[in-house]
Amino acid sequence: MTALPRRLLLGAGLGLPFVGRALAQQDIGRAASFIQTTGQDLVAAINDTRSDLATRRLRVAAVLRKAVDIEGVGRFILGRWWRQATPQEQAEYVKLFEETLICNLSARFGEYQGVRFSLGRSQQRTEDDVLVNTIIERPNSAPFALDWRVGEVGGQPKVVDVIAEGTSLRLTQRSEYSAVIQQNNGSVAALLAAMKRQIQQLAAREQGAR
């Protein structure tokens, strides 16, 4: 069985593989403001050393749940395998996908202590989404750029993709998940098992960072 790769959040492009559902036309100013607020909230949670790890994790989880259309993201990444999954597998997959996003960041709080970000240029990418550029800075590391695609989902702005070094992370994650399923004769259950192991590994790393 091929283990799922460990993705970095706020490192190799936040590790957030996003896509939205049917999107309404997006406003550039609103999209930039949304990314500004989301980024500030994440940075504040990561840098809040006065709070314990569990509290900071809860804050990060709340930000991600608000910023991400988790079910829509997960369904895109699972692709054609979503239709082959049972309703129970679909529900478990969405739950595990959300937990993976949260654990990926909380397990690396120490690495990102002191992280800062700033907004760059925003531009209309298509009639459905806006591309917002940001610069991420960490102590003792070179700054790097992240481009956030923001769309309108259910009347609210949501991140629908993150582009790092020209690579769409939603497409990368889709390829990786599909590979795990294909290597296990089309078994969605095998992917769920791999995701559980990944979460356990990240949780152990998080505990070690206390």
Side-chain angles (χ1 to χ4, degrees):
M1 168 103 197
T2 301
L4 295 178
R6 295 183 179 180
R7 288 226 162 268
L8 298 181
L9 296 177
L10 288 175
L14 258 81
L16 299 178
F18 296 132
V19 67
R21 302 175 194 157
L23 307 174
Q25 186 162 354
Q26 182 63 277
D27 175 80
I28 293 177
R30 189 184 188 200
S33 178
F34 166 69
I35 292 300
Q36 177 81 28
T37 299
T38 298
Q40 288 176 341
D41 290 345
L42 282 174
V43 166
I46 292 169
N47 290 333
D48 182 15
T49 55
R50 294 173 298 178
S51 297
D52 60 25
L53 184 61
T55 299
R56 293 160 67 195
R57 190 182 192 279
L58 287 174
R59 288 180 62 185
V60 165
V63 174
L64 293 179
R65 290 186 180 114
K66 183 178 179 180
V68 182
D69 175 19
I70 291 177
E71 183 175 347
V73 169
R75 289 185 64 160
F76 173 85
I77 292 173
L78 199 57
R80 65 189 177 93
W81 304 108
W82 176 267
R83 296 187 299 275
Q84 298 187 31
T86 66
Q88 293 77 15
E89 287 174 333
Q90 291 173 352
E92 184 176 9
Y93 167 77
V94 172
K95 181 179 178 181
L96 291 172
F97 183 72
E98 177 183 281
E99 187 66 15
T100 298
L101 296 182
I102 296 167
C103 286
N104 259 314
L105 185 50
S106 62
R108 296 177 171 87
F109 279 155
E111 296 176 34
Y112 303 118
Q113 195 66 52
V115 67
R116 298 183 301 170
F117 89 106
S118 57
L119 285 182
R121 181 169 176 259
S122 300
Q123 58 183 311
Q124 196 81 38
R125 185 180 181 278
T126 70
E127 64 178 11
D128 294 328
D129 54 60
V130 171
L131 200 65
V132 181
N133 174 261
T134 62
I135 303 299
I136 309 298
E137 299 177 84
R138 291 188 296 158
N140 305 315
S141 298
F144 62 92
L146 286 181
D147 293 325
W148 306 72
R149 282 183 57 196
V150 179
E152 194 91 2
V153 182
Q156 298 297 322
K158 299 284 184 180
V159 176
V160 298
D161 196 7
V162 177
I163 300 170
E165 298 181 349
T167 300
S168 166
L169 297 179
R170 66 175 183 173
L171 296 177
T172 300
Q173 196 74 55
R174 183 171 184 164
S175 175
E176 291 172 353
Y177 278 23
S178 182
V180 172
I181 295 173
Q182 289 176 339
Q183 290 165 8
N184 288 274
N185 300 315
S187 172
V188 174
L191 173 65
L192 300 181
M195 294 173 76
K196 290 176 183 177
R197 286 194 293 273
Q198 184 188 31
I199 290 169
Q200 290 173 350
Q201 292 168 357
L202 290 169
R205 179 172 180 171
E206 180 180 308
Q207 293 299 318
R210 285 181 181 274

